Amino acid sequence: MPEPALRILKDIFGYDSFRGRQSEVIERVAGGGDALVLMPTGGGKSLCFQVPALLRSGLAVVVSPLIALMDDQVATLGELGVAAVALNSTLTAQAQREIAQQIQRGEIKMLYLAPERLVQPRMLNFLQGLEIALFAIDEAHCVSQWGHDFRPEYLQLGQLAELFPTVPRIALTATADTRTREEIVERLHLQNAERFLSSFDRPNIFYRIVAKEQQRKQLQAFLAERKGDAGIVYCLSRKKVEEVAAFLVAQGHPALPYHAGLPYELRAQHQKRFLNEEGLIMVATIAFGMGIDKPNVRFVAHLDLPKSLEAYYQETGRAGRDGLPADAWMAYGLQDVLMLKQMLQKSDGDERHKRVEQHKLDAMLALCEQIRCRRQALLAYFDEDLPQPCGHCDNCVDGVQTWDATEPARQALSAIYRSGQRYGVGHLLDVLLGRENERVRSLGHQHLAVFGVGKALGESEWRSLFRQLVARGLADVDLEGYGGLRLSESCRPLLRGEVSLQVRRDLKPQHTAKSSSSAASQLVRAEEREQWEALRALRRKLAEEHGVPPYVIFPDATLLEMLRSQPDSLPAMGQVSGVGARKLERYGAAFLAVLGGEAPAPKVVADIRHELISLARAGMTPTQIAGQLDCSEKNVYVLLAEAIGRQQLSLEQALDLPAELLGEIQDAFLDGEAELPTAAALAEQFSGRVVDGVLYCVRAALQAELEV
């Protein structure tokens, strides 16, 4: 990888090396080529277009489907010192005009647009008058008419190939099977694009699927191990979202509802709270999710069955984007299957479309009833082979018990047939278990040959068996009648005795205790907890000051590395993954203070900035200011540098340096044609002559002069 790309990666984003196929993608796009990138959520897709955008001259245009997603990335880039804006419907006409003028003056590097806005003739004409570095089409699977996230406006993005033939285009998605990949290539005119297919595996996610019994109690038990963790609970209906959110709040969990039926302002408020606050649980329909870039979502729970493996993969993929341990948990029952089959039958679309959707649902059901490693089955759906079981899903950890259900299955199928193929599981259970209640007697079903033949099994075992018969396609739902069960063609060999049937035995909750504790709760050891919470408190305070979500300051993974590596100087802090030059200058000293045991650090940053400026203007040295404010010199220098950068202080007011030494430091920063080197890069050269904080102040002054 060329040196400029690595320098951008380290100086701006704070990382030492690229991951996976990032470097190949960046080299391709930076060189002017098109690319189709499939990379799992949390795999670093954004860097694949952000780094080439910074390497190439001109404006980078990023197509994004949701305002929340745009705002999140713009905020993150702003904290990194990259000039990025989003043009969307939330802005006033005046604000939009000002952004257009900034773009024309070359002051903006990255422009985020919704597809609807980009394809407007006026916008296309505007862009044709500019130098465009690249087009990045994020969430490119939205182009697929077979997908659950289809956005018709994406179909018009193919015209970029004709209107901007020399501008490289990169399409990115985390979810696309073979069919969807071909649709993306065809509809976006990416026939000459190089394809970069990364592994779909998310090894940090623990997958668990349980039989739905008392789902609220099951959810409560799951959440009991995850106090303080942020998570998402998905439900199929708006009503259920409201009920579950209210239930969780009553149980003492900080939960918020989110669905398309809520007023826009309330949805936006709830989403903002979820992004900005620690430990919130969002109870939502699938209306919530695509725009969520929050890296420290520690769990995703499903109380209803997703319609497809694509949906399941994408929704569970919102957990653990930071690469740290996370959980994907789902409670699933027969009623889920019946409801989705009914919804599918009643949906719009021709028979071909319904067959495709049925195939997707069947694949989802197969994962639920899977008796081998769930991760192997999930990846196989995306044409990826995992040679060995993962060891990190419920089937691998708990083991799967199966039993020979050949004879009970025949009895169940016979009960369906002999009762007229029109009754649901509740009535069929009454018949098999010999319950002579009023309904059974009124129908005369106590006289059926199968009445009472199933007493060897309990009700929960029968429910499990019926669920698996439907999931395997041996029984089906009568969607044209009353929603009862009926036989399918594929059950004939079983009824004739030509095949046997092995099914999984649902484990009771106590049998899964060994793996029920939160993977995420193991992140921080007990002896680290106090310092971990202090780091999070400082991050929260800084986030409030800067008006950004906490993870934009530093994600959990970066805080965890700080905690473990215990840097004791600014250069050492600069080596922590995720601490780039700008963040080091802005926040490095404050986090060093917390690591050094100085509890007042958040207060220093938040409350005494004006006092510090006054003391510096009065002629006090950094050492004297530190004594006056009862804080470390490191904190004083970082705040002085910030004030100099904002032109609230001159360099002479902040520092009392000999002119010759000051000139030598300035020359060292200006020695070269590229951008100013970081202060950390010059620390060794001036070691023993000045403290690191002096370098930060000098660099801030030079940077302010260059930006005028």
Side-chain angles (χ1 to χ4, degrees):
M1 172 53 56
E3 179 62 30
L6 287 169
R7 191 164 62 246
I8 285 172
L9 182 71
K10 179 59 183 172
D11 290 353
I12 294 180
F13 298 98
Y15 301 114
D16 291 318
S17 59
F18 290 107
R19 286 189 288 160
R21 305 195 68 184
Q22 283 178 330
S23 59
E24 298 172 66
V25 177
I26 289 164
E27 200 164 353
R28 168 76 177 176
V29 178
D34 294 341
L36 170 62
V37 177
L38 271 83
M39 196 173 280
T41 304
K45 292 193 303 298
S46 299
L47 284 178
C48 290
F49 61 82
Q50 288 172 349
V51 174
L54 295 171
L55 285 168
R56 292 176 62 84
S57 63
L59 176 74
V61 179
V62 184
V63 182
S64 185
L66 292 176
I67 290 173
L69 197 56
M70 297 185 217
D71 290 345
D72 191 79
Q73 290 211 9
V74 167
T76 301
L77 288 166
E79 280 295 307
L80 296 171
V82 177
V85 295
L87 262 178
N88 55 52
S89 56
T90 65
L91 300 174
T92 64
Q94 178 60 30
Q96 293 183 43
R97 280 194 294 272
E98 288 173 4
I99 287 174
Q101 289 165 5
Q102 284 181 289
I103 291 171
Q104 287 174 321
R105 292 195 299 265
E107 296 170 5
I108 302 298
K109 188 60 190 171
M110 300 187 72
L111 171 64
Y112 283 77
L113 295 170
E116 300 92 327
R117 186 172 290 265
L118 174 58
V119 298
Q120 289 175 4
R122 187 176 173 186
M123 177 56 71
L124 290 170
N125 289 336
F126 174 71
L127 293 176
Q128 283 180 300
L130 303 170
E131 181 185 14
I132 304 297
L134 59 85
F135 286 103
I137 302 168
D138 205 6
E139 308 290 353
H141 62 273
C142 292
V143 80
S144 172
Q145 289 177 292
W146 300 103
H148 62 291
D149 283 330
F150 174 57
R151 291 279 291 266
E153 301 80 17
Y154 267 72
L155 297 176
Q156 300 178 50
L157 297 177
Q159 63 184 302
L160 296 176
E162 288 74 44
L163 294 174
F164 303 88
T166 62
V167 177
R169 291 169 301 136
I170 174 173
L172 310 101
T173 179
T175 318
D177 57 12
T178 305
R179 176 202 291 270
T180 305
R181 291 201 288 269
E182 295 313 313
E183 271 197 273
I184 292 171
V185 167
E186 179 186 345
R187 297 183 187 281
L188 297 182
H189 301 174
L190 288 168
Q191 284 79 2
N192 296 323
E194 188 171 344
R195 301 184 185 197
F196 299 90
L197 311 183
S198 300
S199 170
F200 278 86
D201 191 15
R202 294 287 306 282
N204 60 314
I205 297 179
F206 185 97
Y207 295 98
R208 177 177 295 288
I209 300 175
V210 302
K212 188 182 288 185
E213 291 175 359
Q214 294 175 294
Q215 57 178 311
R216 288 191 181 182
K217 282 189 176 180
Q218 290 171 297
L219 177 63
Q220 200 173 347
F222 172 78
L223 295 178
E225 299 284 348
R226 292 158 181 82
K227 290 281 187 184
D229 288 344
I232 305 171
V233 178
Y234 281 112
C235 304
L236 198 57
S237 72
R238 299 175 182 182
K239 181 184 178 188
K240 189 168 179 178
V241 163
E242 299 276 1
E243 291 172 349
V244 171
F247 167 75
L248 291 181
V249 169
Q251 298 301 315
H253 295 283
L256 297 170
Y258 188 104
H259 58 72
L262 294 173
Y264 172 80
E265 295 77 14
L266 187 60
R267 291 203 311 272
Q269 180 191 340
H270 284 189
Q271 179 158 305
K272 186 173 183 180
R273 283 191 60 191
F274 181 72
L275 291 173
N276 286 287
E277 296 178 27
E278 308 271 14
L280 270 184
I281 298 170
M282 189 70 91
V283 185
T285 59
I286 58 169
F288 177 80
M290 193 195 293
I292 297 308
D293 229 3
K294 187 178 173 106
N296 62 337
V297 174
R298 295 269 66 89
F299 65 85
V300 168
H302 282 90
L303 288 184
D304 293 307
L305 190 67
K307 297 177 184 178
S308 67
L309 279 180
E310 287 93 343
Y312 176 74
Y313 177 83
Q314 195 170 57
E315 287 155 21
T316 56
R318 286 165 190 143
R321 294 172 65 103
D322 52 11
L324 299 177
D327 293 282
W329 179 89
M330 178 163 66
Y332 143 82
L334 177 61
Q335 199 56 41
D336 293 314
V337 186
L338 303 181
M339 186 182 299
L340 285 181
K341 283 181 176 282
Q342 287 175 325
M343 286 173 63
L344 176 60
Q345 191 63 32
K346 293 174 183 176
S347 65
D348 296 331
D350 57 25
E351 286 307 311
R352 180 167 173 254
H353 180 76
K354 288 183 179 179
R355 280 198 303 273
V356 171
E357 293 302 307
Q358 182 63 57
H359 170 73
K360 290 175 180 285
L361 177 56
D362 290 343
M364 184 70 242
L365 296 174
L367 179 73
C368 294
E369 304 296 356
Q370 189 58 243
I371 59 175
R372 65 172 180 148
C373 167
R374 293 210 198 270
R375 199 179 307 271
Q376 283 182 316
L378 182 60
L379 293 177
Y381 180 80
F382 292 107
D383 306 316
E384 185 176 338
D385 178 48
L386 187 67
Q388 298 296 324
C390 72
H392 198 52
C393 69
D394 55 349
N395 285 356
C396 286
V397 171
D398 300 332
V400 180
Q401 296 178 19
T402 60
W403 59 288
D404 185 350
T406 306
E407 188 54 36
R410 286 182 189 145
Q411 293 171 344
L413 294 169
S414 181
I416 293 172
Y417 181 73
R418 291 176 185 275
S419 61
Q421 303 192 78
R422 56 185 299 192
Y423 298 101
V425 171
H427 181 70
L428 295 171
L429 285 178
D430 289 342
V431 171
L432 287 164
L433 294 172
R435 295 168 175 163
E436 198 172 330
N437 54 34
E438 185 178 338
R439 189 167 190 230
V440 168
R441 285 196 302 272
S442 69
L443 295 167
H445 286 175
Q446 74 274 28
H447 302 304
L448 295 177
V450 289
F451 184 76
V453 300
K455 293 181 179 178
L457 298 180
E459 182 170 327
S460 63
E461 291 172 295
W462 276 115
R463 286 189 180 278
S464 173
L465 178 56
F466 272 111
R467 186 192 75 229
Q468 295 187 64
L469 290 174
V470 174
R472 292 179 179 220
L474 298 170
D476 207 348
V477 189
D478 180 11
L479 297 169
E480 295 174 5
Y482 298 99
L485 296 188
R486 63 184 182 188
L487 303 185
S488 65
E489 281 297 315
S490 55
C491 77
R492 293 186 184 279
L494 181 62
L495 285 173
R496 289 198 295 257
E498 297 169 2
V499 296
S500 61
L501 181 66
Q502 290 281 324
V503 298
R504 65 179 290 142
R505 190 183 299 281
D506 294 335
L507 295 180
K508 296 298 178 187
Q510 60 266 30
H511 293 140
T512 64
K514 62 184 175 183
S515 60
S516 65
S517 64
S518 162
S521 67
Q522 309 306 314
L523 285 180
V524 180
R525 298 184 287 269
E527 62 272 20
E528 298 172 324
R529 178 63 59 182
E530 186 177 344
Q531 198 169 60
W532 171 253
E533 293 303 334
L535 289 171
R536 279 163 47 108
L538 172 58
R539 177 178 67 176
R540 192 160 51 246
K541 193 74 174 173
L542 291 170
E544 289 170 5
E545 277 189 22
H546 291 265
V548 296
Y551 60 82
V552 169
I553 301 295
F554 287 125
D556 280 3
T558 299
L559 289 193
L560 194 61
E561 190 175 327
M562 284 183 199
L563 190 67
R564 297 282 155 77
S565 64
Q566 290 289 315
D568 58 1
S569 66
L570 286 171
M573 178 66 84
Q575 296 306 306
V576 173
S577 182
V579 182
R582 186 179 176 92
K583 288 191 177 183
L584 183 64
E585 292 190 10
R586 274 189 166 188
Y587 312 127
F591 281 92
L592 279 174
V594 171
L595 291 169
E598 296 184 28
K603 180 178 183 296
V604 167
V605 176
D607 303 331
I608 64 174
R609 185 178 281 111
H610 296 301
E611 191 175 349
L612 174 137
I613 291 171
S614 297
L615 294 174
R617 285 174 177 166
M620 292 182 73
T621 67
T623 305
Q624 291 169 329
I625 293 172
Q628 178 78 15
L629 299 179
D630 192 24
C631 66
S632 70
E633 278 191 53
K634 291 176 183 175
N635 263 321
V636 169
Y637 275 112
V638 81
L639 292 174
L640 287 173
E642 186 178 296
I644 291 167
R646 292 177 173 175
Q647 298 185 333
Q648 295 167 316
L649 274 178
S650 69
L651 189 59
E652 291 71 24
Q653 288 172 317
L655 302 175
D656 183 18
L657 281 181
E660 188 176 331
L661 178 57
L662 176 58
E664 187 181 342
I665 296 171
Q666 289 172 327
D667 289 344
F669 274 112
L670 297 170
D671 185 22
E673 297 178 5
E675 293 182 1
L676 293 178
T678 64
L682 299 184
E684 190 174 339
Q685 182 179 339
F686 291 96
S687 177
R689 301 175 66 192
V690 294
V691 296
D692 294 342
V694 169
L695 301 178
Y696 282 87
C697 290
V698 175
R699 188 185 188 281
L702 291 171
Q703 188 71 44
E705 286 178 24
L706 291 172
E707 289 175 355
V708 171

